[in-house]
Amino acid sequence: MPNNQITSLQSPHVVRVKALLGSRGKKIRATEREFIADGIQSVREVLSPSFDDAPKLLHLYVTEKGYTKLQSEIDSAVLDTAPIVHVSDAVMDEMAETESPQGILALCKFTEITLYKVKQREAKKIAYFWEIQDPGNSGTVIRTAEALGFDAVIFSKNSVDVYSPKTVRATVGALWHIPVVENIEVEELIEFASSEGFLTVAFAGDSAGSILDLEKSEKTILIFGNEARGLPDIAGVSARVSIPMKGKSESLNVASAAAIAMFEVGI
């Protein structure tokens, strides 16, 4: 056991982590711009971000078992520079949200990413989500956008908290490889798209247009709606299309629809 291992359940570290994961966590995350990422998959990406404004690692809490896991999967040169804090199993159980923690927990700080920063990065493929509510869906679309080579993901106001534990977990580390912008109204998005020369494509199940007939553009913004209510009419959008389906289902899950659309447009 390391000499500096934290064993007290009243440690300020424990209090800080629990506050970010507790019932008031959303407000605290927004105010402090801090959040928690857990597990080896997320932490692997925390330690190797792809862009300057990616969330920064403040503390990496590990149990003996967790540290051994990190040593087996992370290059020692990278691990040696990480701000590691050793904790007992009891402390990790107290801090972790999951019932079976892996003994690896990262406290991170995020920077607000704006449309201006997206413009500076010369983004060409963007996915926008209007009032998406489910943390699993939100994390999945971020992960999918990164995997399919998109340059940014944007969420409207009244969307899910991107830095909630469930959303972060569902991104499987993609948060450190693709910029995510929050709280952008659709009118602001369309204004940005118009000024920057983007084709804007809204997806709606009741649209007569098909994604298969869509002409590809170098700069494209795909727009997806709420899980239950879909997408309202949007003034100024370039095209409104649907994904043709052969089966009996009336609609697709938003994460599934986004994956199909991003593949069609991005590849």
Side-chain angles (χ1 to χ4, degrees):
M1 180 178 73
N3 293 328
N4 61 342
Q5 186 187 69
I6 294 175
T7 58
S8 172
L9 301 186
Q10 282 72 49
S11 164
H13 289 279
V14 176
V15 173
R16 190 178 189 184
V17 170
K18 290 187 69 175
L20 289 167
L21 295 175
S23 59
R24 296 181 62 249
K26 181 177 181 179
K27 182 176 181 179
I28 296 172
R29 289 192 294 270
T31 302
E32 301 295 330
R33 294 189 177 179
E34 294 180 359
F35 68 100
I36 301 298
D38 62 10
I40 184 65
Q41 289 179 304
S42 291
V43 169
R44 186 187 295 112
E45 309 312 318
V46 172
L47 294 170
S48 56
S50 297
F51 63 104
D52 291 340
D53 288 323
K56 302 296 187 291
L57 176 62
L58 298 180
H59 295 298
L60 180 54
Y61 300 104
V62 296
T63 61
E64 289 186 66
K65 182 179 179 180
Y67 188 60
T68 299
K69 180 71 172 175
L70 285 176
Q71 287 179 310
S72 69
E73 298 201 22
I74 306 295
D75 185 270
S76 59
V78 174
L79 199 57
D80 289 345
T81 63
I84 292 175
V85 179
H86 294 273
V87 301
S88 67
D89 290 338
V91 166
M92 181 61 71
D93 288 340
E94 185 73 10
M95 290 195 300
E97 184 192 48
T98 55
E99 292 184 6
S100 302
Q102 298 179 30
I104 304 168
L105 201 69
L107 172 64
C108 306
K109 192 172 189 69
F110 66 90
T111 300
E112 181 184 8
I113 299 175
T114 63
L115 287 180
Y116 177 71
K117 289 184 178 180
V118 171
K119 175 183 176 180
Q120 283 184 313
R121 290 174 57 84
E122 299 182 347
K124 290 182 172 57
K125 295 291 186 293
I126 297 172
Y128 175 85
F129 296 88
W130 180 78
E131 297 192 3
I132 185 171
Q133 298 293 314
D134 183 77
N137 283 338
S138 302
T140 299
V141 298
I142 293 171
R143 180 184 183 185
T144 302
E146 192 281 326
L148 294 178
F150 270 58
D151 301 305
V153 174
I154 301 174
F155 291 97
S156 73
K157 291 182 180 179
N158 300 319
S159 289
V160 74
D161 175 10
V162 169
Y163 300 99
S164 72
K166 290 182 179 179
T167 302
V168 172
R169 198 173 300 124
T171 72
V172 196
L175 271 177
W176 285 268
H177 301 299
I178 185 170
V180 177
V181 186
E182 294 185 281
N183 299 316
I184 301 298
E185 294 287 19
V186 70
E187 293 82 5
E188 185 180 359
L189 178 81
I190 296 301
E191 183 179 344
F192 168 79
S194 177
S195 65
E196 298 301 319
F198 280 89
L199 175 75
T200 49
V201 184
F203 283 82
D206 59 358
S207 174
S210 169
I211 188 177
L212 299 178
D213 300 324
L214 188 67
E215 291 187 16
K216 290 191 177 182
S217 172
E218 182 184 15
K219 300 177 72 174
T220 306
I221 297 177
L222 304 183
I223 304 173
F224 304 92
N226 174 271
E227 290 94 338
R229 293 177 284 120
L231 192 66
D233 289 333
I234 302 172
V237 72
S238 307
R240 190 176 176 95
V241 303
S242 62
I243 297 171
M245 297 183 293
K246 293 183 177 180
K248 300 295 184 181
S249 298
E250 293 183 359
S251 63
L252 291 168
N253 170 278
V254 66
S256 299
I260 293 169
M262 285 190 278
F263 178 82
E264 178 69 20
V265 170
I267 297 300

